[in-house]
Amino acid sequence: MREDEGPGGLPEELRELGRSLRVPDVDGESMAERVLARLLAEHVPVPVPVVEEPRPRRWWRSLVAGLSGVLVVAVLTPPVRAAVAEWLGVGGVAVEYAPGAPPPAPAAVPGCPAPVPVAEAARRAGFAPLLPEGAAGAVTTVTGRAPRAVVGVCWRTARGVVVRLDEFPGELDPGFVKEVREQPEPVVLPDGTAAYWFAAPHRLAFPLSSAEGRWRQEVRTAGPTLLWVRPSAGLTLRLEGIPDRTEALRVAASVR
């Protein structure tokens, strides 16, 4: 047996030597702490990690996320539905984001042809139409048949401008389709009802039916419009013809 292999031999001496050695790069403070201390001593700015904020969601997605409690329905033919990537539904109205060329200037708001008494409108439509307060000379007209009928309520302002209020069930099919280039503004009626204000002209596709009950869609450019849902009546309401938002909200709140 070799002398250095016994107790107190070379292996034990090497172990003792290893325990007694101090390595400056690893003893005491961590490497990161030493580097930071040196940077501070030399007055070198410490790099601050840049946290990239998430990209903001597009406005129409935000609106969709904020529609809890509102009846939502997309009323589109299958080919159109497949082509629409982003949309917002408010009651029986589908709102599509269309960033193309601006629509033509809106024409005068169409009146209510072939008016009928309110009671007759209710019978044909299958629901009692709501009427705005103080709209002297308001007339009603009905497009389609229950349960897919649209009741139009029309009157003229003191300046002779036609105002039109369309009313239809929350899940009208086929229904109104709006193509917008700008974000509609969420607003609140004086009674607390949530609504949307479309200030800019936009393309509107709306349903019409023949005497035989066949549906077709007309397309025109609509002006400033207020859109809201009245859950208690199960109706979607669309008010057009009042360019002032405050006045439109006042009229909408008076609809009973």
Side-chain angles (χ1 to χ4, degrees):
M1 179 175 180
R2 297 174 53 184
E3 183 179 353
D4 57 3
E5 292 179 355
L10 180 60
E12 183 61 28
E13 293 178 3
L14 290 176
R15 283 192 289 271
E16 286 293 331
L17 179 61
R19 284 191 290 267
S20 64
L21 288 177
R22 293 181 58 83
V23 182
D25 286 341
V26 297
D27 288 333
E29 297 175 324
S30 67
M31 178 68 73
E33 291 172 332
R34 290 196 300 277
V35 171
L36 181 58
R38 184 172 180 178
L39 287 172
L40 292 173
E42 296 177 359
H43 302 287
V44 177
V46 179
V48 178
V50 177
V51 180
E52 183 178 353
E53 294 186 4
R55 296 174 61 186
R57 294 181 297 178
R58 295 186 223 177
W59 61 261
W60 58 96
R61 290 182 180 173
S62 300
L63 283 175
V64 172
L67 278 178
S68 56
V70 179
L71 295 175
V72 177
V73 58
V75 198
L76 302 172
T77 59
V80 176
R81 186 184 297 113
V84 177
E86 310 292 346
W87 60 269
L88 158 71
V90 181
V93 178
V95 183
E96 303 173 11
Y97 175 64
V109 177
C112 294
V116 298
V118 174
E120 177 63 15
R123 186 188 68 81
R124 294 185 187 182
F127 62 87
L130 306 179
L131 302 176
E133 184 181 88
V139 297
T140 59
T141 186
V142 182
T143 300
R145 301 176 181 176
R148 299 180 178 180
V150 178
V151 173
V153 181
C154 302
W155 67 95
R156 291 184 179 274
T157 65
R159 297 182 178 181
V161 177
V162 174
V163 179
R164 182 181 179 103
L165 174 65
D166 290 306
E167 309 175 19
F168 40 89
E171 295 186 358
L172 179 69
D173 181 17
F176 286 78
V177 180
K178 289 178 176 289
E179 291 186 356
V180 300
R181 301 174 69 247
E182 298 180 12
Q183 174 183 358
E185 178 185 358
V187 293
V188 179
L189 304 185
D191 63 0
T193 301
Y196 291 93
W197 174 247
F198 297 78
H202 53 279
R203 181 179 178 273
L204 171 68
F206 56 98
L208 290 176
S209 67
S210 64
E212 294 77 23
R214 295 179 180 177
W215 287 93
R216 62 185 176 88
Q217 278 197 326
E218 291 288 318
V219 179
R220 66 176 176 86
T221 301
T225 302
L226 185 66
L227 181 66
W228 73 102
V229 174
R230 187 63 61 81
S232 58
L235 296 177
T236 301
L237 297 99
R238 180 187 172 279
L239 179 65
E240 182 184 3
I242 303 178
D244 181 73
R245 184 190 63 177
T246 302
E247 177 63 12
L249 290 170
R250 185 195 67 78
V251 172
S254 74
V255 175
R256 296 286 187 273

